[in-house]
Amino acid sequence: MTKTVKSPRHVDLSLRLHRVLSSAELDCECRTKLDQALDRFSALENRRQLRNGLREARHRRNLIADQLSYLADIDEITENESDLSVFKEMALLFDEIADQADQAADVLREIETLTTQAVNSKSG
């Protein structure tokens, strides 16, 4: 399944700052200092986003781990189950685990995109 990954918002901010400030007519010494400050800002923003993304992915992992313990209940269900709502409940549990996994995967893809953009901007 292919997912559409949203572009990280802070990258847009860093790029916009670079674009606007690069058009300012500054002397060479100011330009160098400004460029260095913008590079530091971008690096700090990248690290902040990476930390937040990892925190979010770990949170999702913990939610999944908690939900996995309930899956053991499926072993107690037999073909003679009289309470049919148990099938719906188990299906919802699987859906919730899948949803948490999808959200964690999206966060990790965003981190990968962010990291790739940061590396490419340094080399370019």
Side-chain angles (χ1 to χ4, degrees):
M1 172 191 316
T2 303
K3 290 265 185 190
T4 302
V5 179
K6 296 175 286 192
S7 175
R9 290 171 296 281
H10 77 281
V11 172
D12 295 339
L13 174 63
S14 295
L15 290 175
R16 288 194 320 256
L17 278 172
H18 275 282
R19 283 187 198 123
V20 168
L21 295 175
S22 67
S23 66
E25 294 181 23
L26 302 172
D27 63 33
C28 288
E29 188 177 328
C30 283
R31 168 65 54 206
T32 302
K33 288 181 180 181
L34 177 62
D35 288 343
Q36 290 171 347
L38 288 171
D39 289 343
R40 283 192 309 274
F41 172 77
S42 293
L44 289 171
E45 270 302 291
N46 288 343
R47 287 180 47 204
R48 185 184 67 79
Q49 277 303 113
L50 180 61
R51 276 192 312 272
N52 288 344
L54 287 171
R55 184 176 323 135
E56 176 71 16
R58 289 178 183 127
H59 173 71
R60 302 287 175 187
R61 178 208 54 202
N62 290 339
L63 290 173
I64 291 169
D66 290 343
Q67 292 165 329
L68 287 175
S69 65
Y70 296 114
L71 286 181
D73 293 346
I74 203 166
D75 291 336
E76 298 173 18
I77 302 171
T78 68
E79 65 276 1
N80 298 324
E81 182 64 51
S82 60
D83 180 8
L84 299 181
S85 69
V86 75
F87 295 108
K88 183 176 182 176
E89 290 173 14
M90 292 305 287
L92 289 172
L93 182 58
F94 277 107
D95 287 341
E96 181 61 25
I97 291 169
D99 183 52
Q100 294 298 334
D102 280 344
Q103 290 180 44
D106 288 345
V107 167
L108 293 172
R109 284 185 192 96
E110 190 169 310
I111 288 172
E112 190 274 334
T113 300
L114 167 70
T115 305
T116 300
Q117 289 174 348
V119 168
N120 289 341
S121 70
K122 286 181 184 177
S123 65

